[in-house]
């Protein structure tokens, strides 16, 4: 049994980005949950997910980037079935869709009395969230200044050699003779409580983990892109995990058929070897001019401070956005009949259970 936790949407420097086109591509049947914030969608997802998990099914838990303890979706990947929060920007155009209406448990007449407040909280939430995205973008520009220092002191030929060494080691010259596939997800997200990631869960049970150490601009993402492309070209299934801050960059590649994960192991998801089969890949030591940290210490320090200050500001603004979302959510919670939500949950579970048996 394999249980995965990850994100399909991210609060990024490029705005709200969804990777659902790829993450949900294999789904054949999707139940979409309709209802406002506080309608019990995440609780429904958790309850159904736990019951199928307890029955021994493989399960993917898709977390909310706004509230990481909450869920946006659950997937039964072996069965091609998903249950998804319809309020998120997910694309499941390839699947047969059935909508589950949780508004049946909502007192619509009383909700009408709160229309003005709901709209006000919603608009303030959207505005604050966009402000957070703009600040993430400013932080990324500071991060780019850090990258410039290391890129200008990068031995690209050595980086290519190191990448080829890893590719040869991972695939051992094997070719599947079939068309490979890349599945794209987020391993983590920028959330109102800071950066959250599921690297430890996603790499659990794999034989070998490669921890990439280095600096911004030392070629980590480029290496991961080449490893992923090579796996696809050789016919393997490749899990690609994008950076929750800069979605154009990659943070991790998993080759489950080979039992291998390789990931950017620097802040804000810095880990160190802790078990047999863990390896360090040091990009700074191998590919960056010796003494770069010391030579450009002032430039690096200034850009790093700007980057961290803007990140802190963006997280705080995202937290303020969540406060407005929570106020809107509180109105819905006060108007929901959760006994009816329980009945909807039970009926949905039984329907899915009958489909997969």
């Amino acid at each position: 049994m394999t249980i995965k936790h990850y994100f399909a949407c991210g609060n990024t420097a490029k705005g709200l980005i969804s990777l659902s086109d790829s993450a949900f591509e294999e789904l054949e049947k999707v139940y979409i949950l309709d209802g406002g914030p506080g309608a019990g969608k995440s609780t429904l997802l958790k309850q159904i997910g736990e019951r199928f998990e307890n029955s021994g099914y493989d399960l993917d838990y898709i977390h909310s980037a706004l509230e990481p303890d909450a869920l946006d979706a659950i997937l039964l990947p072996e069965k091609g079935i998903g249950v998804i929060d319809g309020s998120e920007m997910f694309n499941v155009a390839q699947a047969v869709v059935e909508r589950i209406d949780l508004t049946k448990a909502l007192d619509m007449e009383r909700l009408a009395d709160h229309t003005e407040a709901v709209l006000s909280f919603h608009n303030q939430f959207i505005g604050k969230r966009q402000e957070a995205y703009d600040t993430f973008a400013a932080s990324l520009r500071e991060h780019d200044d850090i990258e410039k220092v290391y890129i200008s002191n990068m031995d690209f030929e050595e980086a290519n050699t190191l990448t080829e060494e890893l590719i040869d080691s991972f695939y051992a010259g094997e070719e599947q003779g079939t068309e490979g596939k890349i599945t794209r997800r987020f391993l983590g997200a920028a959330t109102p409580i800071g950066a959250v990631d599921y690297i430890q869960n996603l790499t659990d049970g794999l034989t070998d983990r490669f921890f990439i150490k280095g600096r911004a601009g030392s070629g980590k993402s480029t290496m991961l892109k080449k490893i992923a492309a090579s796996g696809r070209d050789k016919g393997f299934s490749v899990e690609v995990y994008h950076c929750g801050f800069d979605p154009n960059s990659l943070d991790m590649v998993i080759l489950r058929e080979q039992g291998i994960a390789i990931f950017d192991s620097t802040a804000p998801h810095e880990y160190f070897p802790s078990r047999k089969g863990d390896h360090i890949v040091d990009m700074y030591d191998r590919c960056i001019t010796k003494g770069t940290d010391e030579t450009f210490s002032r430039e690096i320090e200034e850009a790093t401070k700007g980057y961290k200050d803007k990140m802190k500001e963006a997280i705080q603004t995202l937290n303020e956005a969540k406060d407005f979302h929570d106020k809107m959510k509180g109105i819905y919670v006060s108007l929901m009949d959760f006994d009816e939500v329980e009945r909807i949950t039970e009926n949905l579970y039984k329907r899915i259970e009958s489909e997969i048996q």
Side-chain angles (χ1 to χ4, degrees), residues 13 22 28 32 48 50 61 63 71 88 106 124 132 173 185 192 202 221 233 243 283 305 348 352:
S22 179
E28 299 171 1
I32 293 183
I48 291 180
E50 287 171 0
Y61 289 99
H63 290 259
L71 296 179
E88 298 305 318
L106 177 65
Q124 291 177 92
R185 304 162 175 156
L202 291 165
S221 177
D233 294 345
C243 173
M283 298 290 289
K305 183 180 185 305
L348 179 55
I352 297 173

Side-chain angles (χ1 to χ4, degrees), residues 253-308:
V253 170
I254 292 181
L255 311 168
R256 290 203 183 269
E257 293 162 287
Q258 289 88 347
I260 291 171
I262 178 166
F263 58 93
D264 181 339
S265 185
T266 59
H269 35 76
E270 184 175 23
Y271 295 97
F272 296 93
S274 59
R275 70 190 197 204
K276 183 179 178 181
D278 285 352
H279 316 270
I280 291 286
V281 179
D282 194 331
M283 298 290 289
Y284 182 81
D285 182 65
R286 181 89 178 252
C287 306
I288 300 294
T289 302
K290 304 301 180 186
T292 295
D293 282 350
E294 293 77 16
T295 302
F296 298 94
S297 60
R298 182 179 59 81
E299 293 92 333
I300 294 168
E301 183 179 356
E302 289 177 357
T304 299
K305 183 180 185 305
Y307 157 67
K308 289 183 176 180

Side-chain angles (χ1 to χ4, degrees), residues 320-337:
E320 293 169 8
K322 184 180 179 296
D323 285 343
F324 288 118
H325 190 270
D326 287 347
K327 289 175 181 177
M328 182 169 50
K329 182 177 177 179
I331 293 173
Y332 280 85
V333 167
S334 70
L335 302 175
M336 293 293 297
D337 178 354

Side-chain angles (χ1 to χ4, degrees), residues 185-252:
R185 304 162 175 156
F186 289 110
L187 64 81
T191 81
I193 60 172
V196 174
D197 74 79
Y198 290 102
I199 288 177
Q200 298 287 27
N201 163 261
L202 291 165
T203 62
D204 186 39
L206 298 177
T207 306
D208 289 281
R209 303 189 302 175
F210 292 79
F211 298 60
I212 308 175
K213 300 297 182 179
R215 308 291 191 273
S218 59
K220 301 185 296 295
S221 177
T222 299
M223 170 188 282
L224 290 171
K225 289 176 181 178
K226 290 180 178 179
I227 290 169
S230 180
R232 178 200 58 209
D233 294 345
K234 294 176 184 296
F236 293 103
S237 295
V238 182
E239 296 174 25
V240 167
Y241 293 86
H242 288 250
C243 173
F245 171 54
D246 178 6
N248 294 329
S249 294
L250 302 188
D251 274 346
M252 180 164 70

Side-chain angles (χ1 to χ4, degrees), residues 2-4 6-8 20 22-31 45 48-49 52-53 57-63 71-85 90 92 94 183 185 352:
T2 301
I3 306 298
K4 299 191 194 82
Y6 53 89
F7 297 86
S20 62
S22 179
F24 300 164
E25 186 177 9
E26 298 298 316
L27 296 180
E28 299 171 1
K29 175 67 179 288
V30 171
Y31 293 93
L45 290 165
I48 291 180
F52 282 117
E53 183 179 342
Y57 288 96
D58 291 349
L59 206 74
D60 290 7
Y61 289 99
I62 318 302
H63 290 259
L71 296 179
D72 280 344
I74 57 168
L75 314 182
L76 291 155
E78 289 187 318
K79 303 299 180 180
I81 293 175
V83 186
I84 296 173
D85 184 339
F90 294 141
V92 289
Q94 79 289 348
T183 301
R185 304 162 175 156
I352 297 173

